[in-house]
Amino acid sequence: MIKFQINAIGKLKKSPVLELISSYRCRIKNSLVICEFELKKSAGLPTENLKLREAELLMSNVPAKSFVFSMDERGELLNSHQFADLLQQKVQQCYSSFVFIIGGAAGLDKSIHDRSDQILALGKMTLPHMLARLVLVEQIYRAECIINHHPYDK
Amino acid sequence: MIKFQINAIGKLKKSPVLELISSYRCRIKNSLVICEFELKKSAGLPTENLKLREAELLMSNVPAKSFVFSMDERGELLNSHQFADLLQQKVQQCYSSFVFIIGGAAGLDKSIHDRSDQILALGKMTLPHMLARLVLVEQIYRAECIINHHPYDK
């Protein structure tokens, strides 16, 4: 069993985007945990300090021996099959935990990129972080389908 | 006033994804029309015939002198600012109508690409066409914000 984990800034309330994320999440056969973090007393913090403190939260619960992706539109662009192949290759290299880091509106601190195994882009376009979360969950589901030769991905 | 038009295969029923699309659509200041097409009696059609007949529907209501984008993950990757710049540049060249063509599950027929002014990718990853529609509407809204120096896009 593979463990997928998304560490993200911002708590999603009951909303259409949460409903969509939940619907894809239910279809994922492996474990997918979404950990939401929110900085208390962030108002008025300079952006660089905010990003640094968010980075500490985002990296606080990364299981040992995880393969860590930081999500950034300036990262590597993979198509869905290349993403599935990469996951499969890492599983063959004995990784069983994958962590995806999604920052907040201020973006990710450089320290996250330094501590990541791969910087991954869902596209070059900037997405609101809630849509990025949705697209990522859908791509994790799609990767599972590709690996398992499920007809979802044509 | 610019007219944006999305021509897409598949009718969206009341759903979380439709709610999200509607919420971005309401925020767009220019006109955005979404035209949904569905092929009757498509069952059993070979894929190539299906794509050809869908292409006829998708191109049936393109206003004269429109700038036509066909959406394909193998197309050109622009970031949100490059997309906004491109729209602004085309407006300066006197285009006032932009049509975005989104195919169905079978993909787009080659004839659509031939008749498009630009093949545009939202990312390299394959998205379900309903999510592609959502991401596109959000990017149109974001492009407006960039052009109007609205603080939405940071």
Side-chain angles (χ1 to χ4, degrees):
Chain A
M1 176 72 103
I2 299 169
K3 194 182 162 209
F4 294 109
Q5 182 176 317
I6 297 175
N7 285 4
I9 294 294
K11 299 205 173 171
L12 261 182
K13 291 178 198 148
K14 193 166 159 27
S15 63
V17 76
L18 183 61
E19 274 185 66
L20 277 168
I21 290 172
S22 303
S23 76
Y24 283 114
R25 206 175 153 184
C26 291
R27 293 151 86 177
I28 293 174
K29 295 216 164 43
N30 290 290
S31 149
L32 169 62
V33 177
I34 300 182
C35 304
E36 300 178 308
F37 297 97
E38 231 163 26
L39 206 57
K40 285 171 193 159
K41 301 181 187 168
S42 66
L45 267 187
T47 308
E48 290 312 308
N49 290 22
L50 176 70
K51 282 160 71 173
L52 197 63
R53 289 187 52 197
E54 284 182 347
E56 287 163 10
L57 288 175
L58 286 166
M59 297 305 281
S60 64
N61 71 338
V62 172
K65 297 180 186 171
S66 298
F67 191 88
V68 179
F69 290 97
S70 59
M71 308 305 294
D72 188 310
E73 70 259 28
R74 287 156 298 185
E76 194 170 352
L77 289 154
L78 300 178
N79 69 32
S80 302
H81 281 259
Q82 289 166 334
F83 176 57
D85 288 347
L86 175 67
L87 292 178
Q88 208 164 16
Q89 183 192 325
K90 294 299 162 195
V91 168
Q92 281 158 4
Q93 291 170 10
C94 294
Y95 283 100
S96 61
S97 165
F98 294 92
V99 180
F100 300 86
I101 311 282
I102 302 179
L108 284 179
D109 187 67
K110 194 182 161 292
S111 65
I112 300 258
H113 290 332
D114 294 343
R115 290 162 72 189
S116 301
D117 296 292
Q118 185 146 354
I119 305 175
L120 183 67
L122 296 169
K124 276 192 173 185
M125 288 171 163
T126 308
L127 289 179
H129 53 286
M130 300 311 178
L131 279 197
R133 221 188 277 192
L134 168 61
V135 172
L136 175 60
V137 172
E138 196 275 332
Q139 287 301 314
I140 292 172
Y141 171 62
R142 186 177 295 270
E144 259 195 12
C145 291
I146 292 170
I147 292 168
N148 299 326
H149 306 287
H150 183 279
Y152 174 74
D153 186 82
K154 284 188 286 193
Chain B
M1 175 72 104
I2 299 169
K3 195 183 161 206
F4 294 109
Q5 181 175 319
I6 297 175
N7 284 4
I9 295 294
K11 299 204 175 173
L12 261 183
K13 290 176 199 149
K14 193 167 157 28
S15 61
V17 76
L18 182 60
E19 273 184 68
L20 276 168
I21 289 171
S22 303
S23 76
Y24 283 114
R25 206 176 152 184
C26 291
R27 293 151 86 177
I28 293 174
K29 294 214 164 45
N30 289 290
S31 148
L32 168 62
V33 177
I34 300 182
C35 303
E36 301 179 308
F37 297 97
E38 230 163 26
L39 207 56
K40 284 172 192 159
K41 300 180 186 167
S42 65
L45 267 187
T47 307
E48 289 312 308
N49 290 21
L50 176 69
K51 281 159 71 173
L52 198 62
R53 289 186 52 197
E54 284 182 347
E56 287 162 9
L57 288 176
L58 286 167
M59 298 304 282
S60 64
N61 71 339
V62 173
K65 298 183 186 169
S66 297
F67 191 88
V68 179
F69 291 97
S70 59
M71 307 306 294
D72 189 310
E73 70 258 28
R74 286 156 299 186
E76 193 169 354
L77 290 154
L78 300 179
N79 68 33
S80 302
H81 281 258
Q82 289 166 335
F83 176 56
D85 287 347
L86 176 66
L87 292 178
Q88 208 164 17
Q89 183 191 326
K90 294 300 161 193
V91 168
Q92 281 158 4
Q93 291 170 12
C94 293
Y95 283 99
S96 61
S97 164
F98 295 91
V99 180
F100 300 86
I101 311 282
I102 302 180
L108 283 179
D109 188 66
K110 193 181 161 296
S111 64
I112 299 259
H113 290 331
D114 294 344
R115 290 162 73 190
S116 301
D117 297 292
Q118 184 146 355
I119 306 176
L120 183 66
L122 296 169
K124 277 191 171 184
M125 290 171 162
T126 307
L127 290 179
H129 53 286
M130 299 311 178
L131 280 196
R133 219 188 278 191
L134 168 60
V135 172
L136 175 60
V137 172
E138 195 275 334
Q139 287 301 314
I140 293 172
Y141 171 61
R142 186 178 295 269
E144 259 195 12
C145 291
I146 292 170
I147 292 167
N148 299 326
H149 307 286
H150 183 280
Y152 173 74
D153 185 82
K154 286 189 286 195

